[in-house]
């Protein structure tokens, strides 16, 4: 999907060029494998330039967490062929490890199991990151996904107009109730006697998911569905000075919505959840007398009404685009899908009691305990089912970073 002339381009200025991510994914795998197995890196120079990406402050791009120093000139970067050859060597190294585990030459333990889980999920995270970057150039550079036909937009639009039944009530009341956030998966215990060999059936996660903790959720009302493109447009037309969500394109004929097949008219995507920044969507919520939910509130809603991948939700590349949300219908007891998007919460990513910072990927969470990153929950249409299906998963973005596939539902105090 990345033509050769885009390899050294940045679809989003606040992220690296496309070539970086092609090198970063196998470098991360190689570095974590080497660390877990007490072996050297396959390519030390790649570990220098590809170890870690960037997430600069949107309002001050000069401020950024620790990251790799990359070449400043295109000609100083490794070639695509060199990177892909390295990737293939790293994959062979991984397959050799699996052979050793299968034969009994090496025994699986928590440390190795965690490394394998993290590197698999890391690749899933970056598939999505690279895609939300590439969609910014869909139709002007990025190629459509190979092996898939262009969706029949007019036919789908007609079906969605017919099938998008609205809930009988726009909101549902939840709480008060106690809920559990997180799970018990402390990396700091991986080498403890009686724990280190317990791998089968254990649910690995990222450091900010652990430990399990109880939270009280007060009574509140939540809209059944995230804000749609159509709803947001009706609000936005009188407030154009706030700017355009990057998921939209404005042309002479009006607003269009980005897809990997090029922008489509708003009339086609009006029922899809809108993708925008926390700041924009929060303003929309406040204008309607509501707010965006806390993490415990949204977790309660998703636990109660989201059907997930096994229930047919739009995740794991069932589509290459969002679809209309389906929650809130009486026939299904209100259960359904949010259309294939992450959802913003008002909760800032921060430390909590019992969190054991990862040593496999130092700084994964702790570097972003900066008061500038909001927790997002759910999953997009490009989130792998392994991540989408784990209720403890927490993603996080800056509130004024508008590019990820994140929408929001409005909640109200009750």
């Amino acid at each position: 999907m990345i033509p050769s002339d885009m390899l050294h381009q940045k679809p989003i200025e606040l992220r690296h060029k496309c070539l970086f991510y092609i090198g970063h994914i196998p470098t991360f795998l190689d570095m974590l494998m080497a660390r877990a197995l007490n072996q050297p890196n396959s390519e030390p120079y790649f570990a220098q330039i590809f170890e870690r990406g960037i997430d600069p402050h949107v309002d001050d791009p000069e401020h950024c967490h620790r990251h790799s120093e990359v070449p400043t000139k295109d000609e100083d970067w490794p070639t695509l062929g060199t990177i892909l050859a390295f990737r293939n060597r790293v994959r062979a190294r991984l397959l050799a490890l699996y052979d050793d585990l299968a034969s009994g030459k090496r025994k699986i333990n928590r440390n190795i199991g965690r490394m394998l889980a993290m590197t698999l999920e890391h690749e899933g995270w970056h598939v999505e990151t690279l895609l939300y970057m590439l969609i910014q150039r869909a139709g002007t550079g990025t190629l459509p996904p190979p092996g898939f036909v262009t969706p029949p937009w007019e036919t789908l639009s007609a079906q969605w107009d017919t099938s998008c039944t609205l809930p009988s009530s726009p909101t549902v009341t939840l709480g008060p109730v106690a809920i559990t956030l997180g799970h018990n998966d402390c990396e700091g215990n991986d080498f403890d006697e009686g724990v280190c060999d317990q791998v089968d059936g254990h649910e690995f996660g990222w450091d900010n998911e652990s430990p399990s903790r109880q939270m009280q959720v007060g009574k509140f009302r939540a809209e059944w569905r995230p804000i749609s493109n159509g709803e947001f447009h009706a609000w936005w037309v009188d407030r154009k000075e706030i700017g355009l969500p990057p998921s939209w394109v404005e042309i002479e004929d009006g607003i269009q919505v980005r897809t990997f097949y090029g922008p489509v008219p708003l009339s086609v995507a009006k029922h899809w959840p809108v993708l925008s920044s926390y700041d924009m969507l929060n303003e929309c919520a406040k204008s309607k007398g509501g707010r965006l939910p806390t993490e415990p509130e949204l977790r309660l809603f998703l636990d109660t009404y989201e059907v997930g991948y096994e229930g047919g939700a739009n995740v794991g590349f069932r589509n290459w685009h969002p679809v209309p949300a389906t929650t809130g219908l009486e026939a299904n007891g209100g259960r359904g899908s949010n259309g294939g998007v992450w959802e913003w919460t008002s909760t800032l990513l921060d430390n909590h009691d019992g969190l054991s910072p990862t040593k496999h990927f130092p700084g994964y969470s702790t570097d972003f305990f900066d008061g500038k990153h909001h927790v997002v929950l759910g999953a997009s249409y490009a989130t792998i089912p392994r991540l989408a299906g784990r209720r403890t998963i927490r993603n996080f973005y800056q509130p004024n970073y508008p590019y990820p596939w994140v929408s929001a539902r409005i909640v109200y105090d009750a």
Side-chain angles (χ1 to χ4, degrees):
M1 295 172 66
I2 309 173
S4 58
D5 61 357
M6 273 187 65
L7 287 172
H8 289 281
Q9 295 178 11
K10 295 182 178 181
I12 295 174
E13 191 58 36
L14 294 169
R15 292 295 182 264
H16 278 308
K17 61 176 65 179
C18 296
L19 189 65
F20 173 86
Y21 297 96
I22 300 173
H24 170 64
I25 293 172
T27 298
F28 184 91
L29 170 58
D30 189 59
M31 291 182 68
L32 266 68
M33 250 195 309
R35 191 174 298 141
L37 303 177
N38 196 26
Q39 296 174 351
N41 296 325
S42 299
E43 177 50 73
Y45 177 59
F46 280 17
Q48 293 178 31
I49 64 173
F50 288 132
E51 177 186 6
R52 199 166 185 200
I54 55 173
D55 180 17
H57 290 179
V58 175
D59 48 10
D60 181 13
E62 294 300 315
H63 186 97
C64 191
H65 61 85
R66 184 184 66 83
H67 57 278
S68 303
E69 295 297 327
V70 299
T72 56
K73 298 178 181 179
D74 291 353
E75 59 267 27
D76 292 338
W77 284 75
T79 65
L80 177 63
T82 301
I83 293 172
L84 294 181
F86 166 73
R87 178 202 65 185
N88 293 341
R89 293 196 302 274
V90 173
R91 288 180 173 177
R93 186 180 190 180
L94 175 64
L95 291 174
L97 170 59
Y98 274 114
D99 286 343
D100 287 349
L101 294 173
S103 68
K105 183 178 179 180
R106 184 182 292 274
K107 186 178 180 181
I108 189 72
N109 56 37
R110 279 279 182 94
N111 184 50
I112 294 175
R114 185 175 304 281
M115 177 273 293
L116 293 172
M118 288 179 73
T119 51
L120 174 62
E121 293 185 0
H122 174 264
E123 185 155 350
W125 284 128
H126 274 291
V127 166
E128 187 167 346
T129 299
L130 192 51
L131 285 172
Y132 81 62
M133 292 168 54
L134 291 176
I135 202 170
Q136 293 296 313
R137 292 289 308 280
T140 62
T142 301
L143 302 175
F148 294 84
V149 298
T150 302
W153 297 120
E154 290 188 7
T155 301
L156 289 172
S157 178
Q159 291 176 355
W160 291 328
D161 285 343
T162 301
S163 63
C164 281
T165 305
L166 294 176
S168 57
S169 171
T171 64
V172 60
T173 300
L174 297 99
V177 68
I179 68 165
T180 300
L181 295 183
H183 62 180
N184 291 317
D185 170 48
C186 179
E187 181 180 318
N189 297 335
D190 282 356
F191 293 95
D192 292 355
E193 185 177 354
V195 174
C196 61
D197 296 327
Q198 295 177 6
V199 177
D200 288 347
H202 179 72
E203 182 177 73
F204 291 101
W206 298 83
D207 57 6
N208 63 53
E209 297 176 57
S210 181
S212 173
R213 51 207 184 277
Q214 290 285 309
M215 302 288 289
Q216 291 292 326
V217 180
K219 186 177 181 181
F220 69 103
R221 291 186 297 116
E223 295 207 353
W224 279 110
R225 297 174 181 181
I227 304 165
S228 69
N229 281 306
E231 291 167 334
F232 190 76
H233 182 264
W235 175 82
W236 174 85
V237 290
D238 295 325
R239 301 167 177 83
K240 292 185 178 181
E241 69 278 0
I242 68 172
L244 201 69
S247 60
W248 290 2
V249 181
E250 189 168 22
I251 62 172
E252 187 175 335
D253 293 337
I255 297 297
Q256 295 193 324
V257 178
R258 296 184 191 274
T259 79
F260 283 109
Y261 303 91
V264 298
L266 180 64
S267 59
V268 170
K270 63 180 180 290
H271 299 299
W272 300 356
V274 65
L275 306 174
S276 190
S277 67
Y278 175 93
D279 288 348
M280 270 195 184
L281 295 174
N282 192 41
E283 286 301 312
C284 180
K286 289 193 296 185
S287 74
K288 298 176 183 294
R291 55 180 174 82
L292 299 192
T294 64
E295 179 182 7
E297 287 172 338
L298 182 56
R299 183 71 267 155
L300 175 60
F301 179 91
L302 295 175
D303 284 353
T304 307
Y305 293 112
E306 176 63 41
V307 296
Y309 179 76
E310 297 298 332
N314 184 34
V315 298
F317 294 98
R318 281 204 161 102
N319 296 283
W320 283 87
H321 53 81
V323 297
T326 58
T327 40
L329 300 183
E330 294 180 6
N332 302 317
R335 290 173 56 78
S337 165
N338 72 0
V341 292
W342 295 90
E343 296 187 36
W344 288 106
T345 78
S346 60
T347 300
L348 291 172
L349 183 72
D350 202 353
N351 199 1
H352 55 253
D353 289 344
L355 187 148
S356 177
T358 177
K359 294 182 179 179
H360 286 270
F361 184 8
Y364 169 75
S365 297
T366 55
D367 278 0
F368 305 102
F369 295 164
D370 54 9
K372 289 184 175 290
H373 288 76
H374 283 252
V375 174
V376 305
L377 302 180
S380 85
Y381 58 90
T383 307
I384 62 172
R386 178 188 176 93
L387 291 170
R390 191 165 72 240
R391 67 175 293 277
T392 57
I393 203 74
R394 307 166 83 207
N395 208 343
F396 47 93
Y397 296 107
Q398 295 177 61
N400 49 357
Y401 185 59
Y403 299 103
W405 294 330
V406 190
S407 189
R409 75 180 63 241
I410 302 173
V411 301
Y412 308 86
D413 295 327

